[in-house]
Structure formats: C-alpha cells, structure tokens
Amino acid sequence: MSAIIEANGLSRELAGTPPVMLVTGVSLTIEPASFVAIVGPSGCGKSSLLYLLGLLDRPTDGSVLFQGRDMNLLDGDARAHIRLASFGFVFQFHFLLPEFTALENVMLPIRRLGRLRQAEARDKAQALLEGMGLGAKSGKTPDRLSGGERQRVAIARAIANDPALILCDEPTGNLDSQNSARVVDLFRSLAHDQGRAIVCVTHDADVAAAADMQISMLDGRISETSVRAR
C-alpha cells in the first residue's frame, strides 16, 4: 500500500541562544485508511510535528513527502493549494465563522477550491451535514449550536474537498465524553469506510485507544510506536 504521507529525518529548530529543538529526526509513514494518534506529554513536539506534516510549517532538516512528492521543493502557493485540495484540518477550537451558518461554513473550502458551481457546492455541503446528523441545523449560526455540533460542523468542513489526509490537533479537548466518543466514531468511519488517513494529536486516552496506531513522542522524538489489531 502506497503511503499518503512520509516524514524522513524531520527536524524543526527555533533560532535562539541556545536554539530550541521542537522536533528532532522524526521518520514515519502514514498509510491510507489508517487512524493514527500522536501522544505524549505537553511540550514534547506533537503539535509541531503535526504542523510540519500539514505543511503549515517548514522543517529545518529532513523532508515531508505527500503521495511521493517532496513538499520541500514546492513554493508557498503550491503548498497552500495542496492543503486546500488534499488536506483537512480539525482543531480543538472549531474556528467556525460566527456570522455564517453551518452550511455556509462548510461551503467555504469548496468555494475556495472552485471546482463546483454554487448550487453543487451547496448540495454537497448539505449532504455532508446530513452525514454528521446535522441536516436540520444547516441554517443555524455557530452560537445556536452545541459544542459537539460545532465540532461536527468543523469536521464536515474539513472533509468538504474530499481530502486524502485529515490532521487533527486535540479535536476532543473541549468536548464531553459522549461527544468525544461520537467524534472518534466519525474518525474511524472516515478512515476505515472512506479510506482517508487520520492523524490526531491527543491527550485523550480514549481517542488514542481507538486509533489503529499510536505514536508516542518525548523531547521532540518518537519514543515508541504501537499498532492496534483491527
């Protein structure tokens, strides 16, 4: 099976006296249809690694390959296009635009990519919300939705352009146990039923336990990798 994304000797250093190493010599491979959790104590480099994999930051050393292409060779515009067309992002805070409805928030990346006409974009966004159990709430603004509902809208927005890779940073950090379990079920379905790769930074033991693979980090390095039998 071909990798979706690979890191080869990935390091990220912040300039200073002395310099600060956020990530040191990380190599990993993420395959399609996999749900991967990155775990470890605060400050160990989990989010820094995620931002490098998501092309939100550039490494000091090493490379990120997406579908076999070296992302270091691309300029900012090309990297931004790959993020829009092929990556989805889910964060602890949903970052929905408060003045837009749930439907309009999900439509945003579809409209930016520009592959669908307005009516098609609307129909697709509505279908995604229905798949999240939110079809009847598509016309509501975020302030009229619960925390769990807002995060499901954010997930619908993350998959609006059919990304091969979804990167999540503490996506259940603001949710209760019931809504956290629902988000985990969504991630497992996106990976196992739809063939997407999910990479999730988390402190939540239940989220990590549900993943197919756990990558443990310590002091900017991978300290252990464990695979869960499906």
Side-chain angles (χ1 to χ4, degrees), residues 55-172:
L55 310 185
L56 297 169
D57 192 12
R58 286 184 179 267
T60 308
D61 292 298
S63 61
V64 173
L65 274 63
F66 175 65
Q67 296 179 333
R69 296 177 63 197
D70 188 344
M71 297 293 100
N72 286 356
L73 303 179
L74 303 182
D75 64 17
D77 288 344
R79 288 162 62 93
H81 180 76
I82 287 175
R83 288 196 302 268
L84 176 62
S86 300
F87 292 6
F89 295 91
V90 183
F91 298 98
Q92 179 175 352
F93 302 101
H94 51 77
F95 295 118
L96 300 177
L97 295 183
E99 69 273 23
F100 286 1
T101 65
L103 182 70
E104 290 166 339
N105 269 282
V106 177
M107 287 177 66
L108 284 172
I110 305 174
R111 294 175 65 183
R112 281 189 61 208
L113 190 58
R115 291 177 179 169
L116 299 179
R117 295 191 296 270
Q118 178 77 359
E120 293 172 325
R122 180 173 291 273
D123 289 346
K124 183 173 185 179
Q126 181 66 34
L128 287 168
L129 288 170
E130 289 172 0
M132 298 288 163
L134 296 171
K137 300 191 176 184
S138 62
K140 294 184 180 296
T141 50
D143 64 312
R144 299 173 63 196
L145 300 172
S146 70
E149 288 168 342
R150 289 193 290 267
Q151 195 64 307
R152 279 184 279 149
V153 174
I155 294 170
R157 181 182 59 188
I159 64 174
N161 286 331
D162 301 313
L165 176 66
I166 301 169
L167 299 133
C168 314
D169 195 0
E170 300 288 359
T172 63

